[in-house]
Each structure stands twice: as C-alpha cells, then as structure tokens.
Amino acid sequence: MNFASDNAGPVPAQVLEALARVNTGYAASYGGDAVTAEVADRVRDLFEAPNAAVYLVATGTAANALALATLCPPFGTIFCTQHAHIHEDECNAPEFYTGGAKLTLVPEGDVMTPDTLRAAIEGEGNRGVHGPQRGPVSITNVTEGGNVYSVDEVSALCDVAKGFGLPVHLDGARLANACAKLGCTPAEMTWKIGVDIAVFGGTKNGLMDAEAVVIFDPDAPASSGYTRAQEFELRVKRAGHLYSKHRYVAAQFLAYLEDDLWRDLATRANARGAALAEGLATLGVEILNKTRANMLFFRAPRRVHDAVKAAGAVYHFMGNAPTAPEAMTTGRLVCSWSTSEADVADFLSAVKAAL
C-alpha cells in the first residue's frame, strides 16, 4: 500500500529490456548516437511537430529550470501558481539557472484561471527599469494539487499569455496522466493551443531517470539572442546535465514510446486513482481535488490516518499535520503504474475499519 509518490515505484520490464539492448558495443557520446536520434524523431511524431527540437535530461527540475532559463532573462519574472513545483519543490532552481529572474505567484491555489493570470501579469512589468519585466507563463498539468486542466482551460491561459506577448512553458511531469485522463493527444495539450516549450515527463510514469524537453519553435529567439534550441543546448552542457553515455537515457524513451507504453502506464495509474476516489467517496471521506488523474488529497481525522498507516499504508501528510486524534488532517495519495487493485482494496479496507 505504497501511495507516497509515483517516483517511488519500479521500472517496467520494457524499459530494462531496452537498456539491455543498447548495452552492446560502442556508440557516439553526448547524444550523437542513433538511439537518441530515433527517440527525437519519435517524440516529434508523437507531438505532431516535425520541426521541434527534442532534448533529454535526467530530472524534472533540470527540464523545467533550463527550459524557463531559455525563455526568461535574469531581469524577468515567471508567472506560476503559488503551489507550482518550480516554486515549492525546486530549491530556487529556476531563479538560479535564469541568473536571477523572480517568480510571480498567481494566487488561489494550484489552478490558474484566465482572470487570476491576467491580474498577475498586469501587476508586473509596468514599473520600467525599477521592476521585473514580464516573462513566461508556466502551467503544470497535472497540477501539484492533483487537478487536471482541460484542453480548453490550458488554451484559455495560453490566450492570456499570448495577449501580452509572453511565451508559455508546460511542466508536464505528469502530462501522460493528463492526456490519458482527457483522451487527448500531446499535440492537443501543447503547441496546438499555444505552448512554446513542453516537458514530457517520464520519471513519474515509470522511467528510471528521463524527461524530454520539446521546443516547438527551435529557431525562435531565446532570452539571450541565440535561438531557443542553441541556448537550451548550451545551458544543458553548462549546467552539467548533458549525458556522456546518452544512449542509456534515450533507450528509456525508446521503450516509453513503443506501442504507446507511456499512455498505457498512465492509464493504469489513473485507473487505480479513480478506484481510490470512488472507494473513499463511498465511505464518506472528503476528497479535496475535483478533477483527478492518479493523485488525490483526502481529509480524515488524525486517528484514521494513524490506524491506516499502522496497517501498512505509506503516504504523506500535507502541511503541518495536527496530532490531536480528531483533528482533520490532509493526506496525499499517488498511484503509479505498478499500483495494484489489491493495494487499493487493502487501503480502503483499512480506512473503513478505522472510521
């Protein structure tokens, strides 16, 4: 009953088999190998973006921070929600890699609306040399609060950004889960509605350590005057994130893209999340996030959490969890591709017994 994180699960056999297949002989280093070239072509096909530039890095933090640094100068500001991963969980990496750009937080939780985004943009970039200049908008789907933006909702946010002439970055650590939930394609969730650079996450959806950064207009100017593709390449190398034995990170994506494994893994995780939500709702337990994929937040008395954890469940509390037995406490449950139906059933049985 491990619901701590989709980072905590194992790697699918297909990924390990792909790693074994490329582990023979010699191959060009630093991304010059045939496997990396094939993966880039397959990602372009998946996103229906034949001219896109595709790069692989090991972590979501590197993917987000380097992408945003490509879009934002040091005197700019990045617009994101107050619970965005780039704000709460990346140790100021975007500020570091941009050379000092700030984050402007869009209020009201983990979900932006066109109105809240527009108000945040209008509040910045209007003080001349005395204030930060307006920079990219960063959207996360699935959000850190477990909510899923619809295609129309992301499109509306992109429209606001474009109205101010601002580029859009999509933190897609769980983009596979969002696409599987909505039944849409990666293209429909990204460039077709105005996203300029997307992170197509792999690590949270079963890969060992692999994230793809997709730059849809690689020849557009970056924050420094280089093209976006040129600048991203230089930033990856300077940051120490360019793999020497690149075929091994590429092999993971080769398996991920084969026969739409990425969608299959996300669909499994989402199905377990839906079963959890249905079961908890039947028990009368409050679920906080309205639009869910593979992650949900629920509230119950602390004594219920303690009993469920004593039965073997592993998950995290959110915020400063109270200790009083009847104090309402929020827990976060995240399903991975490897979460089983038995895990869900056992968890729900433990909750029922504790209520």
Side-chain angles (χ1 to χ4, degrees):
M1 294 189 291
N2 192 309
F3 300 99
S5 174
D6 37 12
N7 283 325
V11 173
Q14 296 96 316
V15 175
L16 297 177
E17 291 164 2
L19 285 165
R21 284 197 300 272
V22 303
N23 192 37
T24 58
Y26 294 84
S29 55
Y30 301 111
D33 59 281
V35 179
T36 296
E38 181 179 354
V39 165
D41 284 341
R42 290 195 180 192
V43 171
R44 292 185 192 102
D45 288 344
L46 177 65
F47 280 84
E48 305 168 47
N51 297 318
V54 179
Y55 301 98
L56 306 180
V57 294
T59 70
T61 295
N64 286 332
L66 293 168
L68 287 167
T70 299
L71 296 174
C72 190
F75 43 79
T77 188
I78 299 160
F79 298 94
C80 64
T81 71
Q82 65 191 67
H83 295 304
H85 200 270
I86 61 172
H87 171 55
E88 291 194 338
D89 294 288
E90 293 184 354
C91 195
N92 294 0
E95 294 92 329
F96 175 76
Y97 283 113
T98 57
K102 66 175 289 185
L103 304 182
T104 294
L105 304 182
V106 180
E108 300 183 20
D110 64 307
V111 176
M112 283 190 276
T113 68
D115 288 342
T116 58
L117 176 58
R118 183 178 295 106
I121 295 172
E122 289 175 344
E124 290 286 16
N126 52 17
R127 300 194 298 280
V129 298
H130 302 286
Q133 305 304 297
R134 294 166 178 163
V137 173
S138 180
I139 303 168
T140 310
N141 205 13
V142 177
T143 75
E144 291 75 10
N147 289 296
V148 183
Y149 287 105
S150 70
V151 172
D152 287 344
E153 287 170 333
V154 176
S155 179
L157 294 174
C158 290
D159 287 346
V160 172
K162 300 303 179 181
F164 288 92
L166 305 179
V168 177
H169 158 262
L170 180 70
D171 179 348
R174 296 185 176 94
L175 178 58
N177 300 94
C179 289
K181 169 74 174 181
L182 298 172
C184 68
T185 68
E188 291 167 339
M189 184 54 76
T190 56
W191 67 268
K192 287 188 174 182
I193 53 175
V195 172
D196 294 278
I197 299 182
V199 175
F200 182 40
T203 310
K204 285 182 167 59
N205 196 33
L207 299 191
M208 187 179 297
D209 56 350
E211 311 284 312
V213 178
V214 188
I215 302 175
F216 296 108
D217 187 356
D219 295 325
S223 60
S224 67
Y226 288 94
T227 69
R228 288 175 180 172
Q230 289 170 333
E231 179 152 335
F232 191 85
E233 287 185 16
L234 295 170
R235 286 187 176 277
V236 167
K237 178 60 178 178
R238 183 173 183 266
H241 282 283
L242 180 59
Y243 272 86
S244 54
K245 296 185 177 181
H246 204 280
R247 57 176 154 163
Y248 294 100
V249 66
Q252 296 176 58
F253 257 93
L254 198 61
Y256 198 49
L257 299 168
E258 186 71 26
D259 297 325
D260 280 346
L261 178 63
W262 65 274
R263 188 180 286 274
D264 179 50
L265 297 174
T267 299
R268 290 189 223 176
N270 289 359
R272 300 292 91 78
L276 269 178
E278 181 179 355
L280 288 172
T282 299
L283 294 173
V285 175
E286 180 185 9
I287 299 173
L288 301 180
N289 51 319
K290 295 180 180 180
T291 53
R292 298 174 291 272
N294 66 319
M295 176 167 49
L296 61 87
F297 294 76
F298 74 104
R299 292 209 317 152
R302 176 60 190 257
R303 61 174 176 79
V304 172
H305 289 286
D306 290 343
V308 172
K309 289 194 172 193
V314 180
Y315 59 93
H316 296 297
F317 293 136
M318 303 308 295
N320 296 319
T323 57
E326 296 301 323
M328 297 302 289
T329 305
T330 299
R332 185 188 80 159
L333 304 174
V334 187
C335 297
S336 74
W337 71 273
S338 60
T339 303
S340 68
E341 293 180 353
D343 292 333
V344 173
D346 290 346
F347 181 85
L348 294 173
S349 294
V351 172
K352 182 177 182 181
L355 287 172

